[in-house]
Structure formats: C-alpha cells, structure tokens
Amino acid sequence: SDLRPVLSLRARIACIRTLAPGERAGYGLDFQAVRETRLAVVTAGYGDGLPRALCQLGGRALVNGRSCPMAGRMCMDQLLLDVTDVPRALPGQAVTLIGQEAGQRIQVEEIAQACGTIPNEVLCQLGGRLGLVLRQ
C-alpha cells in the first residue's frame, strides 16, 4: 500500500539539568536519578493534548535520532526526557514526539497502545498550541 503516516509532532528543549545519583525531579519529585542523569525539559505537556499517563507508561521522544525515555510525571506545559545518552542534546533543539527522525519513528499507534486507547483518541486530543506539520 502507498499509505504512510503524515503527522509529525515536535517540541523544543527549554533547558537541560544534570542530576546526581539520588537526586529527584518533576511533580512530587517522582523521578529519582540512579546514575548521573541529564534531564531535558521539553515544552509540551498534557495541556497540549498528550496523554498525561504517557510518561509512566513508557513514553519516549527522539532526540538527534535517538530514543529517549520520558521521566517523572508529565506537567501541563512540559515533560522531562532523559537525554543522558545524547550528549549533543541542547536547549532550543526540537525533539520528535510523533513522527520520524534519522531513520527512527514514533507512531501514534505506539502511544495509543501504551495508554490503552486508540490512535484516533490520541490525535483528537492534540491541541492548537503544538507545531503540527503535515507532509505530502
């Protein structure tokens, strides 16, 4: 079939902080570093329509083509990504929440399955504040 995904969802890294082992971050200090950890604060959250539980259910994003796990609890306007293994991750850089980057892909179906729902529900929740890009 010639059908292929056309939606990309990206947000920017606002800042990056390094945590020492044992230090905590996020709502309720839910995330605890088990090693020296670089956390990126990403400018998207459940207020933009992302599933709030995604961080605890294996959510991830692509940074420089590498899969990075979400950390802690998602906030209304931001989420945390563990970018420890992506040393060139920088503030201002775009990360991919849905779509393709450097041969890697995150599909809406993956997010829906992790959250126990269907792709259409995930798509219908996405808000106008996000940079949605349709490609031909």
Side-chain angles (χ1 to χ4, degrees), residues 66-112:
R66 300 205 40 198
S67 180
C68 296
M70 293 179 182
R73 287 189 235 166
M74 186 178 298
C75 303
M76 182 180 292
D77 298 308
Q78 61 190 18
L79 58 87
L80 300 175
L81 281 182
D82 183 342
V83 295
T84 306
D85 297 328
V86 187
R88 293 183 320 182
L90 298 170
Q93 180 177 4
V95 303
T96 300
L97 299 161
I98 299 172
Q100 187 170 323
E101 181 180 309
Q104 299 295 313
R105 179 177 294 191
I106 298 175
Q107 295 182 306
V108 174
E109 292 82 358
E110 173 186 332
I111 295 168

Side-chain angles (χ1 to χ4, degrees), residues 11 42-52 55 74-79 97 125-127 129-130:
V42 175
T43 60
Y46 66 80
D48 300 300
L50 294 172
R52 184 174 169 264
C55 288
M74 186 178 298
C75 303
M76 182 180 292
D77 298 308
Q78 61 190 18
L79 58 87
L97 299 161
Q125 298 301 316
L126 297 178
R129 297 186 329 168
L130 298 173

Side-chain angles (χ1 to χ4, degrees), residues 18-24 31-38:
T18 301
L19 276 64
E23 287 188 310
R24 295 178 170 270
F31 175 79
Q32 183 173 16
V34 295
R35 62 179 178 157
E36 186 173 282
T37 302
R38 293 179 70 230

